[in-house]
Amino acid sequence: MATIFLLSVDRMLAQRIDEAMGGRVSVELVQSIEREALAGPCLIVIDRAAIPPERALSAAIGTVVESAGGRPVVLATQEMEAEPLLRAIRAGVDDVIPRDGEGAEIAAVLARLLNDAAADRGNRGRLTLVLGADRDACAMVATDMAIAASQGSGQGSTLLIDCTLPTSAAATYLDLSIDYGLASAISDMERLDASLLASTVARHGPSGLMLLTFDGGTGAEPAGLTPGDLAGLIRLLRGCCSDVVLNAGSLRHGGLLREVVAEATQVELLCGQSIREIEACRRLLDRIGAERERVEAMRLLLWDHLPGVLLDGRRMADALGVGSVLALPTDRARMRNALNAGRPLAMEADGGTYMAAIRRACGVASKAGGIDRLRRAMLKVVSDFEPDAGIWRLGAARPAKLNRGKQTNERAS
């Protein structure tokens, strides 16, 4: 929880700030600022009435700003004329609130500064960015990666942001009805926190995954959103969730994507084994204009991998300048059925080689069961047999037929 340190002795002012923030932050009355207390997201409010008349306002503000270590500083004052406000801002305060102001007026200023503090200094969750030319495929991969990440972490919350237009493919894949999108979240940024996010966004019951879509269930592109709004929202959401998976989908703004790539923990570039998709991905990377080191740190996900296709992953990675490659073999009929039924493959006990690759990409151990368990048992039997000698290694379990044959020979002798 974020903290507001109020330099005052006025408990009524502390109560007014607490009510304005709706109890979402802790308000502490303090007489001085201790560096040890400024570990998490916080801001400092200076009560103008608590400054002695013989002390200059600018000197008092300067002392607090120096002790704040870069944390936001706000002045609560009744002097709302231009001249004293300018003096306070020149002295170093980030904003000013009316000491006897309305709750909404106080909350608008403090919530904005707290959100910035949470994005800059709070515990930021892992951000995975999925890029690619095939938007529906990217949405499915991002959804399965988000579910795998939520199952692997065991704690914390996971949020999937799907920017596919005209409608969200992830919402179809999860069989969810959406009525809260990016535009609504941006309008709520001043009061958005983990509890509000969990109570407003759509949630996939079986997995607990939260979904935020670009269209917000309207099937149309939201108007009035700027790249700065989206970038700020993504930073804020990382402070609310332990894992955020962003499917870029229909986003094509180079500056926004470049900023997200720079902040992402991992960038996955999804591409099929065709010259056309390689060209589309190359144009996307050119539009982003990321540094060479950033591109080399990306991972190429080889969508619908077929070993018989001569255009292999290593050649594709070299053509795109990407450092690592991971093959994603798919069963097209199975994936189409999963999409139509609204049952993600990540929720199945055995997702086959596709989900094994997805979990490997997320650093999550594969589930034991189904065909995977049978495959491991068969490999163990094969590894225990020495074909040249025609015998089983010492200590290895012998098949029942061989054991019965040995007993028969012993009785005959």
Side-chain angles (χ1 to χ4, degrees), residues 11 88 90 143-144 168 251 339 350 355 369:
R11 296 187 179 276
R90 292 190 186 112
T143 303
D144 288 323
S168 170
L251 293 180
L339 179 63
D350 172 31
M355 275 311 303

CSV table of all heavy atoms in Angstrom, one decimal, residues 11 88 90 143-144 168 251 339 350 355 369:
chain,number,residue,atom,x,y,z
A,11,ARG,N,-5.0,16.6,12.8
A,11,ARG,CA,-5.6,15.3,12.6
A,11,ARG,C,-6.9,15.5,11.6
A,11,ARG,O,-7.2,14.5,10.9
A,11,ARG,CB,-6.0,14.6,13.9
A,11,ARG,CG,-4.9,14.3,14.8
A,11,ARG,CD,-5.3,13.5,16.0
A,11,ARG,NE,-4.1,13.2,16.8
A,11,ARG,CZ,-3.3,12.1,16.6
A,11,ARG,NH1,-3.6,11.3,15.6
A,11,ARG,NH2,-2.3,11.9,17.4
A,88,ALA,N,6.1,28.6,-4.1
A,88,ALA,CA,6.1,27.2,-3.7
A,88,ALA,C,6.6,26.3,-4.8
A,88,ALA,O,7.5,25.4,-4.5
A,88,ALA,CB,4.7,26.8,-3.2
A,90,ARG,N,8.5,27.2,-7.4
A,90,ARG,CA,9.9,27.4,-7.6
A,90,ARG,C,10.8,26.8,-6.5
A,90,ARG,O,12.0,26.5,-6.7
A,90,ARG,CB,10.2,28.9,-7.6
A,90,ARG,CG,9.6,29.6,-8.9
A,90,ARG,CD,10.0,31.1,-9.0
A,90,ARG,NE,9.4,31.8,-10.0
A,90,ARG,CZ,8.5,32.8,-9.9
A,90,ARG,NH1,8.2,33.2,-8.6
A,90,ARG,NH2,7.9,33.4,-10.9
A,143,THR,N,-2.3,-15.5,-24.8
A,143,THR,CA,-3.3,-16.0,-23.8
A,143,THR,C,-2.7,-17.2,-23.1
A,143,THR,O,-2.8,-17.3,-21.8
A,143,THR,CB,-4.6,-16.3,-24.4
A,143,THR,OG1,-5.1,-15.2,-25.1
A,143,THR,CG2,-5.6,-16.8,-23.4
A,144,ASP,N,-2.2,-18.2,-23.9
A,144,ASP,CA,-1.7,-19.4,-23.3
A,144,ASP,C,-0.4,-19.1,-22.4
A,144,ASP,O,-0.2,-19.7,-21.4
A,144,ASP,CB,-1.3,-20.4,-24.4
A,144,ASP,CG,-2.6,-21.0,-25.0
A,144,ASP,OD1,-3.5,-21.3,-24.2
A,144,ASP,OD2,-2.6,-21.2,-26.2
A,168,SER,N,-11.5,-8.5,-29.8
A,168,SER,CA,-10.4,-9.2,-29.1
A,168,SER,C,-10.5,-10.7,-29.4
A,168,SER,O,-11.5,-11.4,-29.0
A,168,SER,CB,-10.5,-8.9,-27.6
A,168,SER,OG,-9.6,-9.8,-26.9
A,251,LEU,N,-1.6,-2.6,-32.5
A,251,LEU,CA,-0.8,-1.4,-32.3
A,251,LEU,C,0.3,-1.3,-33.3
A,251,LEU,O,1.1,-2.3,-33.5
A,251,LEU,CB,-0.2,-1.5,-30.8
A,251,LEU,CG,-1.1,-1.4,-29.7
A,251,LEU,CD1,-0.3,-1.5,-28.4
A,251,LEU,CD2,-1.9,-0.1,-29.7
A,339,LEU,N,-10.3,-22.7,-29.9
A,339,LEU,CA,-10.7,-21.3,-30.1
A,339,LEU,C,-12.2,-21.2,-30.2
A,339,LEU,O,-12.9,-20.4,-29.6
A,339,LEU,CB,-10.0,-20.7,-31.4
A,339,LEU,CG,-10.4,-19.3,-31.7
A,339,LEU,CD1,-10.0,-18.3,-30.6
A,339,LEU,CD2,-9.7,-18.9,-33.0
A,350,ASP,N,-3.2,-32.1,-20.8
A,350,ASP,CA,-2.1,-32.4,-21.7
A,350,ASP,C,-2.3,-31.4,-22.9
A,350,ASP,O,-3.1,-31.7,-23.8
A,350,ASP,CB,-2.1,-33.8,-22.1
A,350,ASP,CG,-1.1,-34.1,-23.3
A,350,ASP,OD1,-0.1,-33.4,-23.3
A,350,ASP,OD2,-1.4,-35.0,-24.1
A,355,MET,N,2.0,-26.8,-25.9
A,355,MET,CA,2.0,-26.2,-24.6
A,355,MET,C,3.3,-26.5,-23.8
A,355,MET,O,3.7,-25.8,-23.0
A,355,MET,CB,0.8,-26.8,-23.7
A,355,MET,CG,-0.5,-26.0,-23.9
A,355,MET,SD,-0.3,-24.2,-23.8
A,355,MET,CE,0.4,-24.1,-22.1
A,369,GLY,N,1.4,-36.0,-17.2
A,369,GLY,CA,0.1,-36.6,-17.5
A,369,GLY,C,-0.1,-36.8,-18.9
A,369,GLY,O,0.6,-36.2,-19.8
